[in-house]
Amino acid sequence: MPAPSLDQLVSLCKRRGFVFPGSDIYGGLANTWDYGPLGVELKNRVKKHWWKTFIHKRQDMMGLDASILMNQKVWEASGHVGSFEDLLVDCKNCNQRFRADHLIEKNLHTDFQELKKSIRDHARKEQDLNYKTVKSEFDKAASKNFLDALHNIFEAEKEWSKFDNDKSIANLIIQTGKIECLNCGKTNWSDARQFNLMFKTYQGVIESDTALVYLRPETAQGIFVNFKNILDTQRPRLPFGVGQIGKAFRNEITPGNFTFRTREFEQMEIEYFIEPGNSEKYFDEWKEIVWKWFTDFGIDKNRLRIREHDKDELSHYSSRTIDIEYQFPWGWGELFGLANRGDFDLSQHEKFSGQDLKYTDPDDPTKKFLPHVIEPSFGCDRSVLTLLLEAYTEEKVNDDIRVVMKFHPSIAPIDVAILPLSKKEHLINKAQEVYKKIIHETELVVDFDITGSIGKRYRRQDEIGTPKCITVDFGTIGEDDAQGEKDTVTIRDRDTLKQERLPIVKLIESLKH
Ligand code: GAP
């Protein structure tokens, strides 16, 4: 089934209590979202599944929960103070700010990285640079008017070597006069400039430079600064990994697309420490492992792809990065990133902290070195968003459209719903007995729903993705043989819509998945 539109999903999420706009009763706060009762169950299940797969079920992995606030030197050492930047442009007419690459992509309906690569490649080969070659490169992506404008600028500038970095290329494209403000439609732009994405705050009561702290922009650094503590207390042998789930904050210039890009989000990150020289082997291993993790949830492989980062797109700490991208309703977008961080972080922290962070080979104490790092980095919110999009299904049943969230049973927010057929007290009591039996004898999350007709309740359970519904009726309490035998209930399957009559004593066995 084709993916739903983002509006369809956002509407279902609000209607059924998965995700609400943040600060809703005050008119919201731009691009903040709160996970409702169903959303928090879904998100917790994704995190639990991740923790079980990567921490509990692997001998070589352990967990950590580091602070969000860290010594500001951490971010100087990690390079985030100097290099964690995006290109920003201001519309001089309406004062709206945009991330330069997003603005260009939205205007030209093309990928900025591709466009940049074409311009940069030609700029580097000055003798090749003429209108025809540039035109043939851009033909697929850009409009004729845009090409003419770009050609005029190339002709006027003549200094091709200037167009060899993100900033000058963004300015070149924006100067064509063809890039319109997404807010007011004008083309009156400031020059593009670098903007640091870290959120700042002050610790304590005095707002001074020494009290300045940053909200962490990635969870990873908590692992690197605890590397020595982990070596000293756990005595791990290489290769080993440390995993962490937690909030990260980035002052994104253009957040948007629901929970895809927000300023506060959650990451699930692993730093996998290895002996130098083995990077490619472990990089490929993690690529396979993570691909399997996503596809085991039933994510359609046709809507997933791997994208290798171009050399000049790499983060300051990475020598190789691939993204797993998902085909979101607005196009391909990063779901997960795998980076080869080498010994960049440990050597920087060694330098800035003055501490010895070397690993000693337990079999040869004379062999001391800084391990290298492979980093699988999952966005928790983007994983949840992807699973919501994948689950959303519309089916024609008789003359009606049934909306059903076909979550993999291991992550469905509710496992089973108990639906008493009527509100009669003795029927409710029997249904309560069944409810208590399931919650006492299993770990399942059980909903007890008595509001509305049975049809409406099935519809609600379909829309929240509950795999099984149990109906307790007058047959169950021995008052109507036509509905079923005494002490039996009906189980309805979300996906097949098949209904089965089962004795209550066999219920627990049948609910195991
Ligand atoms: N430690 C490496 C790191 O942070 P990243 O590619 O910047 O790498 C990793 O982020 C993952 O975090 C991304 O693949 C994405 O899923 C998620 N992520 C990054 N920025 C985000 C944002 N503004 N909103 C939601 N998720 C985000």
Side-chain angles (χ1 to χ4, degrees):
M1 128 127 207
S5 74
L6 196 59
D7 287 346
Q8 277 173 311
L9 187 75
V10 174
S11 153
L12 179 131
C13 282
K14 168 124 204 223
R15 188 168 74 244
R16 291 303 184 190
F18 282 97
V19 183
F20 304 127
S23 314
D24 206 8
I25 60 167
Y26 288 98
L29 171 68
N31 300 297
T32 59
W33 300 97
D34 296 340
Y35 288 87
L38 274 300
V40 69
E41 292 296 342
L42 174 65
K43 195 175 184 191
N44 280 344
R45 286 211 153 170
V46 170
K47 290 194 272 188
K48 227 167 131 183
H49 193 285
W50 187 93
W51 197 265
K52 194 163 138 191
T53 312
F54 297 115
I55 309 294
H56 287 169
K57 295 232 174 216
R58 292 184 58 130
Q59 275 187 12
D60 57 346
M61 294 283 303
M62 61 195 93
L64 185 80
D65 183 12
S67 300
I68 288 172
L69 303 179
M70 302 169 86
N71 190 312
Q72 49 171 283
K73 283 207 187 109
V74 170
W75 305 109
E76 287 165 28
S78 69
H80 284 81
V81 170
S83 309
F84 195 56
E85 295 172 331
D86 275 339
L87 276 179
L88 171 90
V89 279
D90 293 282
C91 170
K92 289 194 201 160
N93 183 54
C94 69
N95 296 324
Q96 280 267 341
R97 293 182 154 178
F98 298 93
R99 210 171 115 175
D101 55 342
H102 290 174
L103 180 71
I104 291 166
E105 284 177 354
K106 289 235 166 79
N107 265 271
L108 299 178
H109 308 289
T110 184
D111 184 55
F112 179 70
Q113 295 302 336
E114 293 291 314
L115 200 54
K116 190 180 86 181
K117 194 167 178 302
S118 307
I119 294 176
R120 192 207 49 208
D121 287 352
H122 284 287
R124 282 184 185 157
K125 288 187 265 155
E126 196 177 322
Q127 67 278 19
D128 282 345
L129 192 69
N130 61 53
Y131 178 53
K132 263 196 191 145
T133 47
V134 176
K135 183 175 180 340
S136 68
E137 286 294 320
F138 297 164
D139 250 356
K140 273 178 267 139
S143 74
K144 186 175 177 305
N145 287 346
F146 167 73
L147 289 171
D148 286 343
L150 199 58
H151 170 64
N152 291 339
I153 291 174
F154 270 132
E155 284 300 297
E157 289 284 351
K158 297 283 186 210
E159 288 180 55
W160 317 121
S161 57
K162 272 171 52 176
F163 305 115
D164 205 18
N165 60 64
D166 279 20
K167 195 163 132 187
S168 59
I169 289 172
N171 277 327
L172 169 74
I173 297 172
I174 288 167
Q175 277 167 34
T176 57
K178 302 294 170 193
I179 303 295
E180 291 175 357
C181 173
L182 302 175
N183 184 45
C184 70
K186 295 280 188 294
T187 57
N188 189 8
W189 296 107
S190 71
D191 270 354
R193 62 185 188 285
Q194 299 290 355
F195 174 78
N196 193 289
L197 298 182
M198 279 200 294
F199 268 101
K200 290 178 188 152
T201 189
Y202 295 93
Q203 179 154 277
V205 289
I206 297 169
E207 293 194 5
S208 68
D209 282 355
T210 49
L212 174 73
V213 284
Y214 299 101
L215 303 189
R216 67 180 176 200
E218 60 168 9
T219 57
Q221 295 304 323
I223 298 176
F224 294 124
V225 301
N226 276 291
F227 182 70
K228 183 170 160 46
N229 286 332
I230 286 168
L231 284 189
D232 292 348
T233 59
Q234 309 302 306
R235 307 262 157 215
R237 272 173 177 263
L238 290 179
F240 72 90
V242 182
Q244 169 166 232
I245 298 178
K247 291 265 184 176
F249 301 83
R250 295 181 190 177
N251 201 2
E252 298 280 2
I253 300 163
T254 43
N257 287 330
F258 197 27
T259 55
F260 178 80
R261 181 171 286 104
T262 49
R263 295 190 171 111
E264 172 184 348
F265 56 97
E266 226 167 334
Q267 291 185 314
M268 307 185 288
E269 294 200 296
I270 294 167
E271 305 307 323
Y272 198 71
F273 299 96
I274 58 173
E275 257 195 62
N278 293 323
S279 300
E280 284 310 303
K281 170 175 166 255
Y282 287 111
F283 195 96
D284 289 343
E285 234 176 74
W286 275 105
K287 186 164 95 178
E288 303 273 312
I289 291 169
V290 174
W291 182 268
K292 184 169 176 341
W293 191 75
F294 282 117
T295 51
D296 278 357
F297 280 129
I299 296 180
D300 187 344
K301 288 188 179 118
N302 294 318
R303 285 200 277 263
L304 287 175
R305 73 175 185 193
I306 288 180
R307 190 177 73 81
E308 182 97 30
H309 280 214
D310 204 33
K311 280 273 172 279
D312 72 343
E313 191 194 338
L314 292 171
S315 305
H316 59 276
Y317 52 73
S318 176
S319 60
R320 184 184 172 198
T321 296
I322 56 152
D323 291 341
I324 294 183
E325 294 189 332
Y326 178 73
Q327 195 168 30
F328 290 97
W330 59 89
W332 291 99
E334 177 185 344
L335 169 61
F336 159 89
L338 179 66
N340 177 359
R341 292 181 84 126
D343 66 359
F344 175 84
D345 301 272
L346 289 180
S347 67
Q348 284 291 101
H349 288 306
E350 200 171 62
K351 203 158 92 195
F352 278 71
S353 68
Q355 302 265 338
D356 179 1
L357 300 182
K358 287 181 195 65
Y359 170 87
T360 306
D361 186 337
D363 300 324
D364 176 4
T366 61
K367 207 171 144 196
K368 285 179 128 228
F369 57 92
L370 286 177
H372 281 206
V373 173
I374 300 298
E375 178 193 63
S377 176
F378 300 68
C380 183
D381 304 87
R382 285 189 193 175
S383 302
V384 170
L385 176 59
T386 303
L387 292 167
L388 281 164
L389 285 162
E390 282 289 304
Y392 189 101
T393 316
E394 285 185 2
E395 283 175 357
K396 203 157 182 247
V397 179
N398 303 324
D399 284 336
D400 232 8
I401 297 290
R402 177 174 92 112
V403 175
V404 48
M405 294 298 280
K406 291 195 171 174
F407 292 118
H408 190 282
S410 65
I411 52 155
I414 308 279
D415 294 295
V416 49
I418 310 290
L419 313 176
L421 196 62
S422 122
K423 283 190 184 151
K424 292 250 161 55
E425 198 182 337
H426 57 311
L427 196 78
I428 298 278
N429 288 344
K430 186 70 184 178
Q432 278 287 347
E433 253 179 53
V434 176
Y435 171 81
K436 284 185 185 143
K437 180 179 172 63
I438 303 173
I439 58 165
H440 288 142
E441 294 180 27
T442 71
E443 296 293 314
L444 299 174
V445 179
V446 190
D447 189 17
F448 192 87
D449 190 358
I450 54 169
T451 313
S453 69
I454 191 73
K456 279 205 173 122
R457 281 182 277 162
Y458 278 146
R459 201 184 152 97
R460 172 173 179 271
Q461 295 300 335
D462 285 345
E463 285 202 4
I464 64 177
T466 307
K468 304 276 180 203
C469 286
I470 295 175
T471 312
V472 176
D473 55 27
F474 290 98
T476 317
I477 53 174
E479 289 185 8
D480 184 353
D481 287 350
Q483 290 187 347
E485 282 179 32
K486 190 166 185 292
D487 289 324
T488 62
V489 289
T490 301
I491 302 196
R492 171 189 181 264
D493 184 272
R494 177 194 71 192
D495 299 338
T496 61
L497 294 179
K498 235 177 84 195
Q499 302 206 2
E500 201 187 348
R501 197 76 189 176
L502 260 190
I504 293 171
V505 287
K506 290 203 175 151
L507 205 51
I508 302 296
E509 192 51 40
S510 84
L511 291 174
K512 286 186 185 150
H513 47 245

